[in-house]
Amino acid sequence: MAGGQTDLALDEHLNAIAAGADRMLAEHARSGPDAGVPTCPAWTADKLLAHQAMVHRWAAANVRGEGSRPPITQTRILAEVPDLRGYLREGAEALVSAITGADDDLRAMTFLDDAPPPRRFWARRQAHETTIHAVDALAAALGRVPTAAEAGLPVELAADGIDELLRGFVPRGTKTSPLYGGEMFAFAVRPSDAVANWTVRVGDGPLVTTRGAAGEVDAELTGTAAQLYLGLWNRGAEIVESGEREILRRFADVRVRW
């Protein structure tokens, strides 16, 4: 896979946005509006829906060229929107419509390293934003962190999300990663059910991620693509770690921000 490209087609990312929104609504109906979200402890199920509704509108505004600031805050949504569930669905549909109607050469803000072109970037980013928050809604319904089997994520979608996280999010910026403890090392991320794998090099500076095997490594993270996807997003605890670098304990401090 060349830089700036994704393994999934545009329609697959758009379908993931729609499926994630449907899953969020189904799990919200099971949990009730005031249920806590174990994977996002500061939120209730209603706050989770408000956050996702805000992000969908922010993303759609970027695609439509209407500015990079959220058009409405999560706080206002909670205070002013009487039908939160309908508002979430409306926002998801508007986002899919905006991306569908955009030109392939769309000019818009992107914010990840090695990002695809803007139209594809926003489809991919919102596919994983919505998928991960659907897992949060599942956690609220279960009252605990779900397993990968319970989340039921497609292998291809999970592998694409690992790629976005490792090659897009974690290398950003100029700061030294929390994974660095004074010694340079490398670790591999190897799904058991997907062809893709990644090598991450840790040193006194930003992480450097390479798609595929890239030299010797000091540790490995293994599991299914879904287990790795959820675990690396701090939504699961099924990754198998080998080596002596305590990667997972430190990875919880690798903050993912817009």
PDB file of all heavy atoms in Angstrom, residues 180-196:
ATOM      1  N   TYR A 180       8.980   5.691  24.806  1.00  0.00           N
ATOM      2  CA  TYR A 180      10.438   5.763  24.909  1.00  0.00           C
ATOM      3  C   TYR A 180      10.852   5.835  26.376  1.00  0.00           C
ATOM      4  O   TYR A 180      10.411   6.701  27.121  1.00  0.00           O
ATOM      5  CB  TYR A 180      10.949   6.990  24.170  1.00  0.00           C
ATOM      6  CG  TYR A 180      12.455   7.160  24.173  1.00  0.00           C
ATOM      7  CD1 TYR A 180      13.264   6.227  23.548  1.00  0.00           C
ATOM      8  CD2 TYR A 180      13.046   8.257  24.791  1.00  0.00           C
ATOM      9  CE1 TYR A 180      14.644   6.380  23.528  1.00  0.00           C
ATOM     10  CE2 TYR A 180      14.419   8.428  24.771  1.00  0.00           C
ATOM     11  CZ  TYR A 180      15.217   7.488  24.146  1.00  0.00           C
ATOM     12  OH  TYR A 180      16.580   7.645  24.138  1.00  0.00           O
ATOM     13  N   GLY A 181      11.709   4.907  26.783  1.00  0.00           N
ATOM     14  CA  GLY A 181      12.188   4.872  28.154  1.00  0.00           C
ATOM     15  C   GLY A 181      13.672   5.061  28.276  1.00  0.00           C
ATOM     16  O   GLY A 181      14.266   4.691  29.294  1.00  0.00           O
ATOM     17  N   GLY A 182      14.297   5.647  27.274  1.00  0.00           N
ATOM     18  CA  GLY A 182      15.723   5.894  27.315  1.00  0.00           C
ATOM     19  C   GLY A 182      16.527   5.033  26.368  1.00  0.00           C
ATOM     20  O   GLY A 182      17.707   5.296  26.143  1.00  0.00           O
ATOM     21  N   GLU A 183      15.914   3.993  25.818  1.00  0.00           N
ATOM     22  CA  GLU A 183      16.591   3.113  24.874  1.00  0.00           C
ATOM     23  C   GLU A 183      15.753   2.968  23.615  1.00  0.00           C
ATOM     24  O   GLU A 183      14.535   2.796  23.687  1.00  0.00           O
ATOM     25  CB  GLU A 183      16.825   1.721  25.481  1.00  0.00           C
ATOM     26  CG  GLU A 183      17.780   1.704  26.665  1.00  0.00           C
ATOM     27  CD  GLU A 183      17.997   0.293  27.189  1.00  0.00           C
ATOM     28  OE1 GLU A 183      17.395  -0.646  26.624  1.00  0.00           O
ATOM     29  OE2 GLU A 183      18.755   0.136  28.148  1.00  0.00           O
ATOM     30  N   MET A 184      16.424   3.002  22.475  1.00  0.00           N
ATOM     31  CA  MET A 184      15.723   2.782  21.218  1.00  0.00           C
ATOM     32  C   MET A 184      15.358   1.314  21.079  1.00  0.00           C
ATOM     33  O   MET A 184      16.117   0.441  21.495  1.00  0.00           O
ATOM     34  CB  MET A 184      16.601   3.221  20.047  1.00  0.00           C
ATOM     35  CG  MET A 184      16.941   4.698  20.046  1.00  0.00           C
ATOM     36  SD  MET A 184      18.030   5.167  18.670  1.00  0.00           S
ATOM     37  CE  MET A 184      16.955   4.808  17.277  1.00  0.00           C
ATOM     38  N   PHE A 185      14.178   1.051  20.524  1.00  0.00           N
ATOM     39  CA  PHE A 185      13.780  -0.330  20.257  1.00  0.00           C
ATOM     40  C   PHE A 185      12.721  -0.331  19.171  1.00  0.00           C
ATOM     41  O   PHE A 185      12.229   0.726  18.754  1.00  0.00           O
ATOM     42  CB  PHE A 185      13.272  -1.025  21.525  1.00  0.00           C
ATOM     43  CG  PHE A 185      11.947  -0.520  22.037  1.00  0.00           C
ATOM     44  CD1 PHE A 185      10.767  -1.177  21.713  1.00  0.00           C
ATOM     45  CD2 PHE A 185      11.880   0.588  22.873  1.00  0.00           C
ATOM     46  CE1 PHE A 185       9.538  -0.732  22.200  1.00  0.00           C
ATOM     47  CE2 PHE A 185      10.663   1.039  23.361  1.00  0.00           C
ATOM     48  CZ  PHE A 185       9.496   0.381  23.025  1.00  0.00           C
ATOM     49  N   ALA A 186      12.382  -1.518  18.709  1.00  0.00           N
ATOM     50  CA  ALA A 186      11.355  -1.668  17.680  1.00  0.00           C
ATOM     51  C   ALA A 186      10.404  -2.780  18.083  1.00  0.00           C
ATOM     52  O   ALA A 186      10.802  -3.748  18.742  1.00  0.00           O
ATOM     53  CB  ALA A 186      11.984  -1.986  16.327  1.00  0.00           C
ATOM     54  N   PHE A 187       9.138  -2.625  17.709  1.00  0.00           N
ATOM     55  CA  PHE A 187       8.174  -3.702  17.945  1.00  0.00           C
ATOM     56  C   PHE A 187       7.300  -3.890  16.713  1.00  0.00           C
ATOM     57  O   PHE A 187       7.126  -2.969  15.907  1.00  0.00           O
ATOM     58  CB  PHE A 187       7.336  -3.464  19.198  1.00  0.00           C
ATOM     59  CG  PHE A 187       6.373  -2.302  19.128  1.00  0.00           C
ATOM     60  CD1 PHE A 187       5.056  -2.473  18.717  1.00  0.00           C
ATOM     61  CD2 PHE A 187       6.779  -1.026  19.511  1.00  0.00           C
ATOM     62  CE1 PHE A 187       4.162  -1.418  18.685  1.00  0.00           C
ATOM     63  CE2 PHE A 187       5.905   0.054  19.479  1.00  0.00           C
ATOM     64  CZ  PHE A 187       4.588  -0.144  19.065  1.00  0.00           C
ATOM     65  N   ALA A 188       6.781  -5.107  16.585  1.00  0.00           N
ATOM     66  CA  ALA A 188       5.930  -5.456  15.458  1.00  0.00           C
ATOM     67  C   ALA A 188       4.490  -5.598  15.922  1.00  0.00           C
ATOM     68  O   ALA A 188       4.214  -6.019  17.049  1.00  0.00           O
ATOM     69  CB  ALA A 188       6.396  -6.765  14.822  1.00  0.00           C
ATOM     70  N   VAL A 189       3.565  -5.228  15.053  1.00  0.00           N
ATOM     71  CA  VAL A 189       2.131  -5.446  15.268  1.00  0.00           C
ATOM     72  C   VAL A 189       1.683  -6.395  14.175  1.00  0.00           C
ATOM     73  O   VAL A 189       1.715  -6.042  12.989  1.00  0.00           O
ATOM     74  CB  VAL A 189       1.357  -4.119  15.214  1.00  0.00           C
ATOM     75  CG1 VAL A 189      -0.139  -4.365  15.379  1.00  0.00           C
ATOM     76  CG2 VAL A 189       1.867  -3.149  16.284  1.00  0.00           C
ATOM     77  N   ARG A 190       1.290  -7.617  14.579  1.00  0.00           N
ATOM     78  CA  ARG A 190       1.055  -8.678  13.604  1.00  0.00           C
ATOM     79  C   ARG A 190      -0.298  -9.360  13.839  1.00  0.00           C
ATOM     80  O   ARG A 190      -0.437 -10.219  14.700  1.00  0.00           O
ATOM     81  CB  ARG A 190       2.176  -9.717  13.691  1.00  0.00           C
ATOM     82  CG  ARG A 190       3.527  -9.144  13.253  1.00  0.00           C
ATOM     83  CD  ARG A 190       4.654 -10.123  13.373  1.00  0.00           C
ATOM     84  NE  ARG A 190       5.902  -9.567  12.846  1.00  0.00           N
ATOM     85  CZ  ARG A 190       7.112 -10.019  13.134  1.00  0.00           C
ATOM     86  NH1 ARG A 190       7.263 -11.049  13.957  1.00  0.00           N
ATOM     87  NH2 ARG A 190       8.182  -9.442  12.611  1.00  0.00           N
ATOM     88  N   PRO A 191      -1.316  -8.979  13.065  1.00  0.00           N
ATOM     89  CA  PRO A 191      -2.608  -9.668  13.160  1.00  0.00           C
ATOM     90  C   PRO A 191      -2.492 -11.116  12.691  1.00  0.00           C
ATOM     91  O   PRO A 191      -1.774 -11.412  11.728  1.00  0.00           O
ATOM     92  CB  PRO A 191      -3.515  -8.864  12.234  1.00  0.00           C
ATOM     93  CG  PRO A 191      -2.803  -7.586  11.965  1.00  0.00           C
ATOM     94  CD  PRO A 191      -1.356  -7.883  12.092  1.00  0.00           C
ATOM     95  N   SER A 192      -3.215 -11.989  13.347  1.00  0.00           N
ATOM     96  CA  SER A 192      -3.181 -13.407  12.979  1.00  0.00           C
ATOM     97  C   SER A 192      -4.090 -13.719  11.800  1.00  0.00           C
ATOM     98  O   SER A 192      -3.956 -14.786  11.185  1.00  0.00           O
ATOM     99  CB  SER A 192      -3.596 -14.263  14.185  1.00  0.00           C
ATOM    100  OG  SER A 192      -4.918 -13.917  14.617  1.00  0.00           O
ATOM    101  N   ASP A 193      -5.007 -12.820  11.470  1.00  0.00           N
ATOM    102  CA  ASP A 193      -6.009 -13.111  10.443  1.00  0.00           C
ATOM    103  C   ASP A 193      -5.986 -12.097   9.297  1.00  0.00           C
ATOM    104  O   ASP A 193      -6.948 -11.988   8.546  1.00  0.00           O
ATOM    105  CB  ASP A 193      -7.406 -13.175  11.066  1.00  0.00           C
ATOM    106  CG  ASP A 193      -7.766 -11.918  11.844  1.00  0.00           C
ATOM    107  OD1 ASP A 193      -6.879 -11.049  12.040  1.00  0.00           O
ATOM    108  OD2 ASP A 193      -8.928 -11.799  12.284  1.00  0.00           O
ATOM    109  N   ALA A 194      -4.915 -11.329   9.180  1.00  0.00           N
ATOM    110  CA  ALA A 194      -4.809 -10.343   8.105  1.00  0.00           C
ATOM    111  C   ALA A 194      -3.397 -10.373   7.537  1.00  0.00           C
ATOM    112  O   ALA A 194      -2.445 -10.731   8.236  1.00  0.00           O
ATOM    113  CB  ALA A 194      -5.150  -8.944   8.620  1.00  0.00           C
ATOM    114  N   VAL A 195      -3.261 -10.003   6.284  1.00  0.00           N
ATOM    115  CA  VAL A 195      -1.949 -10.002   5.635  1.00  0.00           C
ATOM    116  C   VAL A 195      -1.097  -8.854   6.150  1.00  0.00           C
ATOM    117  O   VAL A 195       0.115  -8.976   6.305  1.00  0.00           O
ATOM    118  CB  VAL A 195      -2.118  -9.903   4.109  1.00  0.00           C
ATOM    119  CG1 VAL A 195      -0.770  -9.750   3.417  1.00  0.00           C
ATOM    120  CG2 VAL A 195      -2.858 -11.137   3.578  1.00  0.00           C
ATOM    121  N   ALA A 196      -1.707  -7.716   6.438  1.00  0.00           N
ATOM    122  CA  ALA A 196      -0.964  -6.527   6.835  1.00  0.00           C
ATOM    123  C   ALA A 196      -0.278  -6.716   8.179  1.00  0.00           C
ATOM    124  O   ALA A 196      -0.791  -7.395   9.075  1.00  0.00           O
ATOM    125  CB  ALA A 196      -1.907  -5.331   6.904  1.00  0.00           C
TER     126      ALA A 196
END
